[in-house]
Amino acid sequence: MAILSDIHANLPALEAVLRDIRGRGVDAMLHAGDVVGYYPYPNEVVEALRGENVRSILGNHDRAVLSGEDHWFNPTAATALRWTRTHTDPLSMGFLRSLPPRLAMEIGPRHALMVHGSPKDGDEYVYAHDVVEELFPGEVELVIMGHTHVPYIKALGYRLALNPGSVGQPRDGDPRASYALLESEEGSASLHRVDYPVAKVAAAVEEAGLPRFLGLRLFEGV
Ligand code: ZN
């Protein structure tokens, strides 16, 4: 199973990840939220997720695109959200509207929960050092999170916290697209990075009239 998060409408990054996944015999794909926001391919990314049958949840940017409430975001993100609202077609809006805020499921031997931020709060940032026993509600043994754009796998005994990092806007200093693989049977996880044409996305950002900084940050992975 492949775990993706935070694509943020970066189609070239998603395509590179999908190509990388294809050679690995993956039977299912999950996405931990933020399908759109920041980059200029919202409709193409939604189409790709539908085509691949990716099970996604709703991220804070997806929610803001649906509601129009962007006052919690920094000016650059808010500008991108307004751009996304006017460039996302009704079919893609319908897809975003259909996304649940969280997903509970069985993955191999574990009860799993996928959220965008944390199990308590969809907007909370959980980094590896924040992973403690209390993060795991009830019977949950595997928590899948996104939102920070920083990948990690952290085990607490049998429990596992997993953030696959961001496909579309990595922030750990490595500009390559990030995702994770989960071996369902034995429950082991691994992190993967994939090169993609960053310059192409930066040029598309400028052409779309989106804030230039959104393209520049991709070269640094910040
Ligand atoms: Zn995000």
Side-chain angles (χ1 to χ4, degrees):
M1 174 179 274
I3 319 284
L4 282 56
S5 191
D6 296 272
I7 298 168
H8 283 289
N10 184 339
L11 183 70
L14 175 60
E15 285 176 335
V17 166
L18 292 177
R19 264 195 303 275
D20 196 68
I21 285 170
R22 230 160 259 152
R24 296 176 186 269
V26 163
D27 55 350
M29 273 185 257
L30 299 177
H31 179 253
D34 280 358
V35 175
V36 299
Y38 292 138
Y39 298 104
Y41 309 94
N43 302 316
E44 295 87 340
V45 162
V46 167
E47 196 187 334
L49 293 185
R50 295 169 85 108
E52 299 281 344
N53 266 325
V54 178
R55 294 181 76 188
S56 183
I57 57 171
L58 194 75
N60 57 316
H61 287 249
D62 305 321
R63 200 171 62 231
V65 164
L66 290 173
S67 69
E69 285 177 31
D70 55 27
H71 48 273
W72 300 107
F73 293 85
N74 67 55
T76 307
T79 300
L81 285 169
R82 283 192 290 276
W83 185 96
T84 304
R85 258 172 87 73
T86 56
H87 290 81
T88 303
D89 63 32
L91 186 70
S92 303
M93 281 292 204
F95 175 82
L96 296 179
R97 213 170 286 121
S98 76
L99 300 179
R102 55 175 55 208
L103 211 50
M105 70 211 108
E106 304 300 311
I107 299 180
R110 291 191 180 88
H111 300 295
L113 177 67
M114 180 165 73
V115 293
H116 185 62
S118 82
K120 275 198 191 120
D121 176 355
D123 289 353
E124 188 183 357
Y125 291 92
V126 180
Y127 294 92
H129 62 260
D130 301 316
V131 174
V132 290
E133 291 267 318
E134 294 73 42
L135 180 77
F136 299 84
E139 308 269 270
V140 172
E141 296 151 321
L142 168 61
V143 176
I144 299 168
M145 294 161 284
H147 196 40
T148 62
H149 298 207
V150 176
Y152 63 83
I153 298 164
K154 185 159 176 186
L156 278 187
Y158 182 64
R159 290 174 164 151
L160 202 64
L162 167 65
N163 188 322
S166 172
V167 171
Q169 192 193 77
R171 292 180 192 159
D172 62 345
D174 181 343
R176 295 175 299 167
S178 184
Y179 76 96
L181 288 176
L182 206 52
E183 301 302 331
S184 304
E185 303 255 306
E186 68 260 38
S188 64
S190 54
L191 297 170
H192 299 264
R193 304 303 284 249
V194 191
D195 273 313
Y196 74 95
V198 169
K200 182 180 165 183
V201 181
V205 162
E206 296 226 21
E207 205 169 300
L210 282 160
R212 195 156 176 255
F213 168 68
L214 290 176
L216 296 178
R217 69 186 297 175
L218 292 177
F219 290 97
E220 313 292 327
V222 293

